[in-house]
Amino acid sequence: MNPSLPIACTEHDHNLCVHQALQAADALCSRQGVRLTALRRRVLELIWQSHKPLGAYDILAVLSQEDGRRAAPPTVYRALDFLLGNHLIHRLASLNAFIGCTHPAHAHQSHFLICRVCHTAIEVDSPAISATIHAAAEAVDFRIEGEMVEVVGLCAQCQAATK
Amino acid sequence: MNPSLPIACTEHDHNLCVHQALQAADALCSRQGVRLTALRRRVLELIWQSHKPLGAYDILAVLSQEDGRRAAPPTVYRALDFLLGNHLIHRLASLNAFIGCTHPAHAHQSHFLICRVCHTAIEVDSPAISATIHAAAEAVDFRIEGEMVEVVGLCAQCQAATK
DNA sequence: AAGGATGAGTTATATAATAACGTCCCTCAC
DNA sequence: GTGAGGGACGTTATTATATAACTCATCCTT
Ligand SMILES: [Zn+2]
Ligand SMILES: [Zn+2]
Ligand SMILES: [Zn+2]
Ligand SMILES: [Zn+2]
């Protein structure tokens, strides 16, 4: 196995992923003076349950089940809005789904490689991608406010599996 | 006015845009041996009515009105699927909307600059963007099947207007 | 004319997201 | 204290986007 592969694509202690993500979220929210309430934290935890994007209604189903009672769409969407606003998750428009941000501490754009087979979404941190996008925008005098890059294809594992 | 700006951002004879797009579509479909039926052609024409992405239900509303009888969603979505499949339009996932392809004759990815204010969508043809995306994908052994780049911001005109 | 493929009409439903309003609870000025 | 204000969340209803399943008409092909 290629040791340089992103963690999302490799066998790893995923409990540690979740734990670190939640700790980072706690730290970030306290630093920002915003409240990571129990509900918001639980939604973030659910999103982090895997490296695959999760739909709002999937989250809703889990909450409804474990809460015994209700849980309506606005409950989930408000939590998601909070998490998005504080850069703790990203929204993948091509999937209508959400995924935990792997480096929430610094501002960055949403660049993902999404496996068509196993649905793993790999967050890419490539300044070169942003640089070329900025160059193209500058050429037509366009002022960038937000970039969204979603690439679909096959991750390393699924390529190997289908060989 | 900057003469190097993309046509979508400038004053121009838009009837010509539409006319050329429909002619190109006729040519392409006949070359491919597929049928650009009246309905499909009409939907393409509606999408080309501006350089702003158009929603499926906007198309549906127009068709319903002019047809007298109510057109139903599948009618529109089937036409859209055909147009997408033959690369005559692109789908903008971040807007759930569709826009005419400016160079359908050769295969290419979906790269757009979308103005937050006037909603104009500028199709970008930048091999450099694809190159950097490919480099990032190769670094993690990911095989690309399709790229989606949607950048939101302010087009040149709207920057000038809000100054 | 029979058979098969394609395009499109029709009805119903699935999936995703938001609007509008109410309640609880905490905090802060008075 | 108390009550005004605001944030978080519950609740109900609705809007927006997309697809399933079935039907029929048309047009080739044989
Ligand atoms: Zn993990
Ligand atoms: Zn991130
Ligand atoms: Zn034009
Ligand atoms: Zn195009």
Side-chain angles (χ1 to χ4, degrees):
Chain A
M1 178 163 324
N2 183 340
S4 76
L5 287 181
I7 190 167
C9 273
T10 59
E11 293 292 328
H12 64 280
D13 177 2
H14 186 63
N15 286 335
L16 188 58
C17 283
V18 178
H19 181 74
Q20 289 178 340
L22 291 177
Q23 283 223 326
D26 286 331
L28 251 159
C29 288
S30 110
R31 203 179 318 148
Q32 298 291 324
V34 296
R35 294 171 51 200
L36 188 64
T37 63
L39 174 64
R40 291 165 175 174
R41 201 169 192 280
R42 178 66 181 134
V43 170
L44 181 59
E45 187 180 24
L46 286 173
I47 289 173
W48 265 102
Q49 269 182 353
S50 77
H51 293 279
K52 311 180 197 307
L54 197 61
Y57 280 74
D58 297 326
I59 297 167
L60 190 55
V62 176
L63 288 183
S64 292
Q65 174 139 23
E66 69 189 14
D67 245 21
R69 58 192 181 202
R70 70 266 151 188
T75 297
V76 170
Y77 280 102
R78 278 191 292 242
L80 290 171
D81 285 344
F82 172 87
L83 297 172
L84 285 171
N86 289 280
H87 312 106
L88 296 168
I89 61 173
H90 294 275
R91 179 171 190 273
L92 298 180
S94 62
L95 299 174
N96 292 326
F98 303 84
I99 187 154
C101 176
T102 52
H103 31 292
H106 74 283
H108 60 279
Q109 304 294 335
S110 177
H111 297 173
F112 283 90
L113 307 176
I114 305 163
C115 180
R116 171 174 56 78
V117 172
C118 72
H119 304 119
T120 295
I122 305 166
E123 182 162 359
V124 173
D125 184 11
S126 163
I129 292 178
S130 281
T132 50
I133 289 176
H134 274 257
E138 211 162 297
V140 299
D141 218 349
F142 185 95
R143 184 190 300 158
I144 292 179
E145 292 177 350
E147 305 164 17
M148 165 173 311
V149 176
E150 296 179 20
V151 177
V152 64
L154 287 182
C155 75
Q157 285 191 325
C158 290
Q159 285 174 53
T162 60
K163 232 167 224 158
Chain B
M1 177 164 320
N2 182 341
S4 76
L5 287 181
I7 190 167
C9 273
T10 60
E11 293 293 327
H12 64 281
D13 177 3
H14 185 61
N15 286 335
L16 188 57
C17 284
V18 178
H19 181 74
Q20 289 178 340
L22 291 177
Q23 283 222 326
D26 286 331
L28 251 159
C29 288
S30 109
R31 202 178 320 146
Q32 298 292 323
V34 295
R35 294 170 50 198
L36 188 63
T37 63
L39 174 65
R40 292 165 175 174
R41 202 170 192 278
R42 178 65 182 136
V43 170
L44 181 59
E45 188 181 23
L46 286 173
I47 290 174
W48 265 102
Q49 270 183 351
S50 78
H51 292 277
K52 310 179 197 309
L54 197 62
Y57 280 75
D58 298 326
I59 297 167
L60 190 55
V62 176
L63 289 183
S64 292
Q65 174 139 25
E66 70 188 12
D67 246 20
R69 60 170 174 256
R70 70 243 164 186
T75 297
V76 169
Y77 280 101
R78 277 190 292 241
L80 291 171
D81 285 344
F82 172 87
L83 297 171
L84 284 171
N86 289 280
H87 312 106
L88 295 168
I89 61 173
H90 294 275
R91 179 169 189 272
L92 297 180
S94 62
L95 300 174
N96 292 326
F98 303 84
I99 188 155
C101 176
T102 52
H103 32 292
H106 73 280
H108 60 278
Q109 304 294 335
S110 177
H111 297 172
F112 283 90
L113 307 175
I114 304 164
C115 181
R116 172 174 55 78
V117 171
C118 72
H119 304 118
T120 296
I122 305 167
E123 182 162 359
V124 173
D125 184 13
S126 163
I129 292 178
S130 281
T132 51
I133 289 175
H134 274 258
E138 209 162 299
V140 299
D141 217 348
F142 184 94
R143 183 189 301 158
I144 293 178
E145 292 178 349
E147 303 166 17
M148 189 204 86
V149 176
E150 295 180 21
V151 177
V152 64
L154 288 181
C155 74
Q157 285 190 325
C158 290
Q159 284 174 54
T162 61
K163 232 166 224 156

